[in-house]
PDB file of all heavy atoms in Angstrom:
ATOM      1  N   ASP A 477     -39.499  -2.826 -27.912  1.00 85.00           N
ATOM      2  CA  ASP A 477     -40.420  -1.959 -27.202  1.00 85.00           C
ATOM      3  C   ASP A 477     -41.724  -2.737 -27.013  1.00 85.00           C
ATOM      4  O   ASP A 477     -42.503  -2.887 -27.948  1.00 85.00           O
ATOM      5  CB  ASP A 477     -40.657  -0.686 -28.035  1.00 85.00           C
ATOM      6  CG  ASP A 477     -41.475   0.320 -27.263  1.00 85.00           C
ATOM      7  OD1 ASP A 477     -41.836   0.028 -26.111  1.00 85.00           O
ATOM      8  OD2 ASP A 477     -41.755   1.393 -27.821  1.00 85.00           O
ATOM      9  N   VAL A 479     -44.348  -2.001 -25.610  1.00 88.00           N
ATOM     10  CA  VAL A 479     -45.554  -1.198 -25.774  1.00 88.00           C
ATOM     11  C   VAL A 479     -46.150  -1.381 -27.167  1.00 88.00           C
ATOM     12  O   VAL A 479     -47.357  -1.315 -27.347  1.00 88.00           O
ATOM     13  CB  VAL A 479     -45.215   0.277 -25.486  1.00 88.00           C
ATOM     14  CG1 VAL A 479     -46.386   1.161 -25.808  1.00 88.00           C
ATOM     15  CG2 VAL A 479     -44.825   0.434 -24.027  1.00 88.00           C
ATOM     16  N   LEU A 480     -45.274  -1.654 -28.154  1.00 90.00           N
ATOM     17  CA  LEU A 480     -45.790  -1.836 -29.516  1.00 90.00           C
ATOM     18  C   LEU A 480     -46.764  -3.006 -29.569  1.00 90.00           C
ATOM     19  O   LEU A 480     -47.804  -2.935 -30.219  1.00 90.00           O
ATOM     20  CB  LEU A 480     -44.643  -2.094 -30.490  1.00 90.00           C
ATOM     21  CG  LEU A 480     -43.708  -0.919 -30.742  1.00 90.00           C
ATOM     22  CD1 LEU A 480     -42.665  -1.306 -31.775  1.00 90.00           C
ATOM     23  CD2 LEU A 480     -44.475   0.297 -31.195  1.00 90.00           C
ATOM     24  N   GLU A 482     -48.517  -4.123 -27.052  1.00 88.00           N
ATOM     25  CA  GLU A 482     -49.730  -3.712 -26.343  1.00 88.00           C
ATOM     26  C   GLU A 482     -50.587  -2.825 -27.232  1.00 88.00           C
ATOM     27  O   GLU A 482     -51.817  -2.955 -27.263  1.00 88.00           O
ATOM     28  CB  GLU A 482     -49.359  -2.951 -25.063  1.00 88.00           C
ATOM     29  CG  GLU A 482     -48.795  -3.846 -23.996  1.00 88.00           C
ATOM     30  CD  GLU A 482     -48.741  -3.155 -22.644  1.00 88.00           C
ATOM     31  OE1 GLU A 482     -48.893  -1.916 -22.612  1.00 88.00           O
ATOM     32  OE2 GLU A 482     -48.565  -3.847 -21.636  1.00 88.00           O
ATOM     33  N   ALA A 483     -49.919  -1.935 -27.956  1.00 90.00           N
ATOM     34  CA  ALA A 483     -50.668  -1.024 -28.824  1.00 90.00           C
ATOM     35  C   ALA A 483     -51.451  -1.819 -29.865  1.00 90.00           C
ATOM     36  O   ALA A 483     -52.630  -1.547 -30.127  1.00 90.00           O
ATOM     37  CB  ALA A 483     -49.714  -0.046 -29.504  1.00 90.00           C
ATOM     38  N   LEU A 485     -52.403  -4.925 -29.658  1.00 88.00           N
ATOM     39  CA  LEU A 485     -53.454  -5.673 -28.966  1.00 88.00           C
ATOM     40  C   LEU A 485     -54.638  -4.753 -28.682  1.00 88.00           C
ATOM     41  O   LEU A 485     -55.805  -5.114 -28.872  1.00 88.00           O
ATOM     42  CB  LEU A 485     -52.878  -6.206 -27.651  1.00 88.00           C
ATOM     43  CG  LEU A 485     -53.450  -7.491 -27.082  1.00 88.00           C
ATOM     44  CD1 LEU A 485     -53.321  -8.615 -28.088  1.00 88.00           C
ATOM     45  CD2 LEU A 485     -52.707  -7.859 -25.799  1.00 88.00           C
ATOM     46  N   ASP A 486     -54.320  -3.543 -28.258  1.00 89.00           N
ATOM     47  CA  ASP A 486     -55.353  -2.571 -27.918  1.00 89.00           C
ATOM     48  C   ASP A 486     -56.183  -2.191 -29.137  1.00 89.00           C
ATOM     49  O   ASP A 486     -57.364  -1.892 -29.030  1.00 89.00           O
ATOM     50  CB  ASP A 486     -54.678  -1.333 -27.331  1.00 89.00           C
ATOM     51  CG  ASP A 486     -55.689  -0.330 -26.833  1.00 89.00           C
ATOM     52  OD1 ASP A 486     -56.383  -0.651 -25.860  1.00 89.00           O
ATOM     53  OD2 ASP A 486     -55.800   0.753 -27.435  1.00 89.00           O
ATOM     54  N   LEU A 487     -55.544  -2.232 -30.309  1.00 89.00           N
ATOM     55  CA  LEU A 487     -56.262  -1.871 -31.525  1.00 89.00           C
ATOM     56  C   LEU A 487     -57.094  -3.040 -32.037  1.00 89.00           C
ATOM     57  O   LEU A 487     -57.668  -2.972 -33.113  1.00 89.00           O
ATOM     58  CB  LEU A 487     -55.282  -1.420 -32.605  1.00 89.00           C
ATOM     59  CG  LEU A 487     -54.607  -0.080 -32.319  1.00 89.00           C
ATOM     60  CD1 LEU A 487     -53.456   0.155 -33.279  1.00 89.00           C
ATOM     61  CD2 LEU A 487     -55.611   1.057 -32.414  1.00 89.00           C
ATOM     62  N   GLY A 488     -57.135  -4.107 -31.283  1.00 87.00           N
ATOM     63  CA  GLY A 488     -58.034  -5.195 -31.629  1.00 87.00           C
ATOM     64  C   GLY A 488     -57.367  -6.392 -32.248  1.00 87.00           C
ATOM     65  O   GLY A 488     -58.034  -7.339 -32.654  1.00 87.00           O
ATOM     66  N   ALA A 489     -56.034  -6.368 -32.355  1.00 89.00           N
ATOM     67  CA  ALA A 489     -55.369  -7.503 -32.986  1.00 89.00           C
ATOM     68  C   ALA A 489     -55.385  -8.709 -32.059  1.00 89.00           C
ATOM     69  O   ALA A 489     -55.283  -8.565 -30.851  1.00 89.00           O
ATOM     70  CB  ALA A 489     -53.929  -7.126 -33.320  1.00 89.00           C
ATOM     71  N   MET A 493     -52.023 -12.292 -34.539  1.00 91.00           N
ATOM     72  CA  MET A 493     -51.740 -11.195 -35.466  1.00 91.00           C
ATOM     73  C   MET A 493     -50.639 -10.289 -34.907  1.00 91.00           C
ATOM     74  O   MET A 493     -49.781  -9.824 -35.651  1.00 91.00           O
ATOM     75  CB  MET A 493     -53.008 -10.380 -35.702  1.00 91.00           C
ATOM     76  CG  MET A 493     -52.758  -9.253 -36.683  1.00 91.00           C
ATOM     77  SD  MET A 493     -54.268  -8.354 -37.066  1.00 91.00           S
ATOM     78  CE  MET A 493     -53.600  -6.930 -37.900  1.00 91.00           C
ATOM     79  N   ARG A 497     -47.508  -9.636 -37.143  1.00 91.00           N
ATOM     80  CA  ARG A 497     -47.315  -8.316 -37.740  1.00 91.00           C
ATOM     81  C   ARG A 497     -46.321  -7.451 -36.970  1.00 91.00           C
ATOM     82  O   ARG A 497     -45.736  -6.532 -37.528  1.00 91.00           O
ATOM     83  CB  ARG A 497     -48.660  -7.582 -37.817  1.00 91.00           C
ATOM     84  CG  ARG A 497     -49.636  -8.175 -38.778  1.00 91.00           C
ATOM     85  CD  ARG A 497     -49.272  -7.850 -40.223  1.00 91.00           C
ATOM     86  NE  ARG A 497     -49.804  -6.550 -40.601  1.00 91.00           N
ATOM     87  CZ  ARG A 497     -49.074  -5.623 -41.212  1.00 91.00           C
ATOM     88  NH1 ARG A 497     -47.814  -5.842 -41.464  1.00 91.00           N
ATOM     89  NH2 ARG A 497     -49.622  -4.471 -41.555  1.00 91.00           N
ATOM     90  N   ILE A 498     -46.148  -7.706 -35.676  1.00 91.00           N
ATOM     91  CA  ILE A 498     -45.286  -6.833 -34.882  1.00 91.00           C
ATOM     92  C   ILE A 498     -44.009  -7.573 -34.452  1.00 91.00           C
ATOM     93  O   ILE A 498     -42.899  -7.156 -34.781  1.00 91.00           O
ATOM     94  CB  ILE A 498     -46.016  -6.327 -33.616  1.00 91.00           C
ATOM     95  CG1 ILE A 498     -47.362  -5.715 -33.979  1.00 91.00           C
ATOM     96  CG2 ILE A 498     -45.131  -5.355 -32.841  1.00 91.00           C
ATOM     97  CD1 ILE A 498     -47.270  -4.456 -34.795  1.00 91.00           C
TER      98      ILE A 498
ATOM     99  N   ARG B  83     -54.864   1.381 -17.354  1.00 90.00           N
ATOM    100  CA  ARG B  83     -54.595   0.020 -17.832  1.00 90.00           C
ATOM    101  C   ARG B  83     -55.698  -0.954 -17.428  1.00 90.00           C
ATOM    102  O   ARG B  83     -55.927  -1.944 -18.121  1.00 90.00           O
ATOM    103  CB  ARG B  83     -53.229  -0.456 -17.327  1.00 90.00           C
ATOM    104  CG  ARG B  83     -52.080   0.335 -17.959  1.00 90.00           C
ATOM    105  CD  ARG B  83     -50.739  -0.095 -17.415  1.00 90.00           C
ATOM    106  NE  ARG B  83     -50.360  -1.433 -17.873  1.00 90.00           N
ATOM    107  CZ  ARG B  83     -49.835  -1.695 -19.064  1.00 90.00           C
ATOM    108  NH1 ARG B  83     -49.644  -0.715 -19.918  1.00 90.00           N
ATOM    109  NH2 ARG B  83     -49.516  -2.921 -19.394  1.00 90.00           N
ATOM    110  N   PHE B  88     -55.425  -4.137 -19.956  1.00 87.00           N
ATOM    111  CA  PHE B  88     -54.095  -4.714 -19.817  1.00 87.00           C
ATOM    112  C   PHE B  88     -53.867  -5.249 -18.421  1.00 87.00           C
ATOM    113  O   PHE B  88     -52.993  -6.067 -18.187  1.00 87.00           O
ATOM    114  CB  PHE B  88     -53.019  -3.693 -20.183  1.00 87.00           C
ATOM    115  CG  PHE B  88     -52.944  -3.448 -21.649  1.00 87.00           C
ATOM    116  CD1 PHE B  88     -53.295  -2.225 -22.185  1.00 87.00           C
ATOM    117  CD2 PHE B  88     -52.535  -4.452 -22.500  1.00 87.00           C
ATOM    118  CE1 PHE B  88     -53.237  -2.009 -23.544  1.00 87.00           C
ATOM    119  CE2 PHE B  88     -52.472  -4.242 -23.865  1.00 87.00           C
ATOM    120  CZ  PHE B  88     -52.834  -3.019 -24.390  1.00 87.00           C
ATOM    121  N   ASN B 109     -57.992  -6.396 -26.577  1.00 85.00           N
ATOM    122  CA  ASN B 109     -58.307  -6.368 -28.014  1.00 85.00           C
ATOM    123  C   ASN B 109     -59.805  -6.502 -28.284  1.00 85.00           C
ATOM    124  O   ASN B 109     -60.240  -6.367 -29.411  1.00 85.00           O
ATOM    125  CB  ASN B 109     -57.516  -7.439 -28.766  1.00 85.00           C
ATOM    126  CG  ASN B 109     -57.625  -8.799 -28.114  1.00 85.00           C
ATOM    127  OD1 ASN B 109     -58.146  -8.910 -26.993  1.00 85.00           O
ATOM    128  ND2 ASN B 109     -57.163  -9.817 -28.794  1.00 85.00           N
ATOM    129  N   ALA B 114     -59.592   2.556 -27.034  1.00 90.00           N
ATOM    130  CA  ALA B 114     -58.323   2.649 -27.743  1.00 90.00           C
ATOM    131  C   ALA B 114     -57.408   3.488 -26.879  1.00 90.00           C
ATOM    132  O   ALA B 114     -57.847   4.437 -26.241  1.00 90.00           O
ATOM    133  CB  ALA B 114     -58.505   3.287 -29.113  1.00 90.00           C
ATOM    134  N   LEU B 115     -56.159   3.090 -26.865  1.00 90.00           N
ATOM    135  CA  LEU B 115     -55.204   3.723 -25.966  1.00 90.00           C
ATOM    136  C   LEU B 115     -54.146   4.460 -26.779  1.00 90.00           C
ATOM    137  O   LEU B 115     -53.640   3.938 -27.763  1.00 90.00           O
ATOM    138  CB  LEU B 115     -54.565   2.619 -25.109  1.00 90.00           C
ATOM    139  CG  LEU B 115     -53.549   2.978 -24.047  1.00 90.00           C
ATOM    140  CD1 LEU B 115     -54.110   3.989 -23.061  1.00 90.00           C
ATOM    141  CD2 LEU B 115     -53.126   1.714 -23.297  1.00 90.00           C
ATOM    142  N   PHE B 117     -50.498   5.791 -26.279  1.00 89.00           N
ATOM    143  CA  PHE B 117     -49.444   5.562 -25.305  1.00 89.00           C
ATOM    144  C   PHE B 117     -48.578   6.804 -25.128  1.00 89.00           C
ATOM    145  O   PHE B 117     -48.501   7.664 -26.007  1.00 89.00           O
ATOM    146  CB  PHE B 117     -48.569   4.397 -25.752  1.00 89.00           C
ATOM    147  CG  PHE B 117     -49.278   3.079 -25.707  1.00 89.00           C
ATOM    148  CD1 PHE B 117     -50.136   2.702 -26.735  1.00 89.00           C
ATOM    149  CD2 PHE B 117     -49.112   2.223 -24.640  1.00 89.00           C
ATOM    150  CE1 PHE B 117     -50.783   1.499 -26.698  1.00 89.00           C
ATOM    151  CE2 PHE B 117     -49.762   1.014 -24.598  1.00 89.00           C
ATOM    152  CZ  PHE B 117     -50.609   0.645 -25.622  1.00 89.00           C
ATOM    153  N   ASN B 119     -45.392   7.054 -25.228  1.00 86.00           N
ATOM    154  CA  ASN B 119     -44.388   7.222 -26.288  1.00 86.00           C
ATOM    155  C   ASN B 119     -45.007   6.979 -27.667  1.00 86.00           C
ATOM    156  O   ASN B 119     -44.312   6.750 -28.632  1.00 86.00           O
ATOM    157  CB  ASN B 119     -43.209   6.292 -26.039  1.00 86.00           C
ATOM    158  CG  ASN B 119     -43.573   4.828 -26.224  1.00 86.00           C
ATOM    159  OD1 ASN B 119     -44.755   4.500 -26.414  1.00 86.00           O
ATOM    160  ND2 ASN B 119     -42.604   3.954 -26.206  1.00 86.00           N
ATOM    161  N   ALA B 121     -46.037   4.681 -29.383  1.00 89.00           N
ATOM    162  CA  ALA B 121     -45.998   3.288 -29.829  1.00 89.00           C
ATOM    163  C   ALA B 121     -46.453   3.128 -31.268  1.00 89.00           C
ATOM    164  O   ALA B 121     -47.188   2.213 -31.607  1.00 89.00           O
ATOM    165  CB  ALA B 121     -46.843   2.398 -28.905  1.00 89.00           C
ATOM    166  N   LEU B 122     -45.986   4.022 -32.146  1.00 91.00           N
ATOM    167  CA  LEU B 122     -46.261   3.814 -33.575  1.00 91.00           C
ATOM    168  C   LEU B 122     -45.398   2.657 -34.053  1.00 91.00           C
ATOM    169  O   LEU B 122     -44.281   2.474 -33.590  1.00 91.00           O
ATOM    170  CB  LEU B 122     -45.910   5.085 -34.361  1.00 91.00           C
ATOM    171  CG  LEU B 122     -46.743   6.310 -34.005  1.00 91.00           C
ATOM    172  CD1 LEU B 122     -46.311   7.489 -34.869  1.00 91.00           C
ATOM    173  CD2 LEU B 122     -48.227   6.052 -34.181  1.00 91.00           C
ATOM    174  N   PHE B 123     -45.928   1.866 -34.972  1.00 92.00           N
ATOM    175  CA  PHE B 123     -45.173   0.710 -35.459  1.00 92.00           C
ATOM    176  C   PHE B 123     -44.105   1.192 -36.436  1.00 92.00           C
ATOM    177  O   PHE B 123     -44.417   1.684 -37.520  1.00 92.00           O
ATOM    178  CB  PHE B 123     -46.105  -0.286 -36.138  1.00 92.00           C
ATOM    179  CG  PHE B 123     -47.262  -0.690 -35.270  1.00 92.00           C
ATOM    180  CD1 PHE B 123     -48.563  -0.630 -35.731  1.00 92.00           C
ATOM    181  CD2 PHE B 123     -47.037  -1.112 -33.967  1.00 92.00           C
ATOM    182  CE1 PHE B 123     -49.625  -0.997 -34.920  1.00 92.00           C
ATOM    183  CE2 PHE B 123     -48.092  -1.471 -33.143  1.00 92.00           C
ATOM    184  CZ  PHE B 123     -49.392  -1.411 -33.623  1.00 92.00           C
ATOM    185  N   GLY B 135     -55.807  -1.275 -36.947  1.00 90.00           N
ATOM    186  CA  GLY B 135     -56.981  -1.745 -36.219  1.00 90.00           C
ATOM    187  C   GLY B 135     -58.028  -2.324 -37.168  1.00 90.00           C
ATOM    188  O   GLY B 135     -58.705  -3.295 -36.841  1.00 90.00           O
ATOM    189  N   GLU B 137     -57.284  -3.672 -40.096  1.00 90.00           N
ATOM    190  CA  GLU B 137     -56.714  -4.922 -40.574  1.00 90.00           C
ATOM    191  C   GLU B 137     -57.054  -6.035 -39.591  1.00 90.00           C
ATOM    192  O   GLU B 137     -57.423  -7.142 -39.992  1.00 90.00           O
ATOM    193  CB  GLU B 137     -55.193  -4.764 -40.698  1.00 90.00           C
ATOM    194  CG  GLU B 137     -54.510  -5.912 -41.395  1.00 90.00           C
ATOM    195  CD  GLU B 137     -52.983  -5.767 -41.402  1.00 90.00           C
ATOM    196  OE1 GLU B 137     -52.488  -4.628 -41.328  1.00 90.00           O
ATOM    197  OE2 GLU B 137     -52.316  -6.802 -41.453  1.00 90.00           O
ATOM    198  N   ALA B 138     -56.972  -5.691 -38.294  1.00 89.00           N
ATOM    199  CA  ALA B 138     -57.295  -6.686 -37.266  1.00 89.00           C
ATOM    200  C   ALA B 138     -58.762  -7.094 -37.333  1.00 89.00           C
ATOM    201  O   ALA B 138     -59.128  -8.183 -36.936  1.00 89.00           O
ATOM    202  CB  ALA B 138     -56.969  -6.135 -35.884  1.00 89.00           C
ATOM    203  N   ARG B 139     -59.573  -6.190 -37.850  1.00 88.00           N
ATOM    204  CA  ARG B 139     -61.002  -6.487 -37.957  1.00 88.00           C
ATOM    205  C   ARG B 139     -61.361  -7.099 -39.305  1.00 88.00           C
ATOM    206  O   ARG B 139     -62.541  -7.249 -39.632  1.00 88.00           O
ATOM    207  CB  ARG B 139     -61.805  -5.211 -37.716  1.00 88.00           C
ATOM    208  CG  ARG B 139     -61.899  -4.844 -36.245  1.00 88.00           C
ATOM    209  CD  ARG B 139     -62.250  -3.388 -36.045  1.00 88.00           C
ATOM    210  NE  ARG B 139     -62.321  -3.055 -34.635  1.00 88.00           N
ATOM    211  CZ  ARG B 139     -61.268  -2.931 -33.824  1.00 88.00           C
ATOM    212  NH1 ARG B 139     -60.050  -3.115 -34.300  1.00 88.00           N
ATOM    213  NH2 ARG B 139     -61.416  -2.632 -32.545  1.00 88.00           N
TER     214      ARG B 139
END
Side-chain angles (χ1 to χ4, degrees):
Chain A
D477 187 0
V479 173
L480 292 183
E482 288 193 346
L485 209 57
D486 185 67
L487 290 168
M493 181 176 168
R497 292 285 275 132
I498 308 294
Chain B
R83 293 178 70 80
F88 287 113
N109 50 350
L115 182 56
F117 292 81
N119 69 353
L122 296 181
F123 306 129
E137 189 184 334
R139 282 160 181 73

